[in-house]
Amino acid sequence: MNEALFSMLQGSMKAQHRDESARAGQWNLGMLLTFLKSLPADMSVKFADGTYPGSLMSYRGYYCDIAVERSTVAKNVSDFRAEVNAAIGKEFTGYKGGEFRMDVSTPVWVAPYGRSTRDGIVGTKVEGDTLILEVAKTQVDDE
């Protein structure tokens, strides 16, 4: 298959996947960054289970997507916002190789390195001085 045709097919499949993620209510990097910009910099950020957002990496389920690892290290909005902002336009290495550039339409997953959890960020809520990242299954388990 020639390179131009392969690139066109790959782009089409990526667009379809991102549309499906959006229909499932999954947030992308642009949505997350826009929301984080509206919050006080010193506000704490965590998941409902009490863990905090950790490293950002290529998601094992779709290398062209991004995953946030859970961490026990506290994080505030300013730090998380800077990491999300830095991820836009950056290339990440996929689990089995290849370079994948993230953009504002990139779906955001929650998963440890090398795992495909099917858990996506689907919303947020503010409780006092803490931002809670809401996570839900956004893809049906087909295994």
Side-chain angles (χ1 to χ4, degrees), residues 64-143:
C64 61
D65 291 357
I66 199 158
V68 180
E69 211 168 22
R70 293 180 189 266
S71 173
T72 58
V73 178
K75 189 165 285 185
N76 64 30
V77 164
S78 178
D79 293 340
F80 190 44
R81 180 174 53 218
E83 293 168 0
V84 169
N85 189 53
I88 297 171
K90 181 178 176 184
E91 283 190 353
F92 289 80
T93 302
Y95 183 73
K96 291 186 178 179
E99 297 300 315
F100 300 87
R101 186 175 307 278
M102 306 301 159
D103 60 41
V104 294
S105 67
T106 300
V108 182
W109 301 88
V110 179
Y113 176 75
R115 297 267 321 276
S116 174
T117 62
R118 296 175 168 81
D119 294 332
I121 292 180
V122 296
T124 61
K125 63 182 173 183
V126 175
E127 293 181 354
D129 62 352
T130 302
L131 172 66
I132 306 295
L133 299 172
E134 297 177 332
V135 177
K137 296 285 184 204
T138 59
Q139 181 184 32
V140 176
D141 189 353
D142 55 7
E143 294 178 9

Side-chain angles (χ1 to χ4, degrees), residues 13-106:
M13 290 170 56
K14 183 177 179 179
Q16 179 181 355
H17 160 66
R18 291 189 175 180
D19 287 346
E20 290 169 0
S21 294
R23 281 194 302 276
Q26 185 172 3
W27 282 32
N28 60 42
L29 282 172
M31 294 167 66
L32 184 57
L33 181 60
T34 298
F35 188 74
L36 291 170
K37 285 179 176 180
S38 73
L39 299 172
D42 61 347
M43 179 177 270
S44 179
V45 182
K46 61 173 67 172
F47 295 104
D49 68 358
T51 60
Y52 301 90
S55 300
L56 298 178
M57 69 202 95
S58 171
Y59 176 57
R60 175 70 169 93
Y62 300 98
Y63 297 168
C64 61
D65 291 357
I66 199 158
V68 180
E69 211 168 22
R70 293 180 189 266
S71 173
T72 58
V73 178
K75 189 165 285 185
N76 64 30
V77 164
S78 178
D79 293 340
F80 190 44
R81 180 174 53 218
E83 293 168 0
V84 169
N85 189 53
I88 297 171
K90 181 178 176 184
E91 283 190 353
F92 289 80
T93 302
Y95 183 73
K96 291 186 178 179
E99 297 300 315
F100 300 87
R101 186 175 307 278
M102 306 301 159
D103 60 41
V104 294
S105 67
T106 300

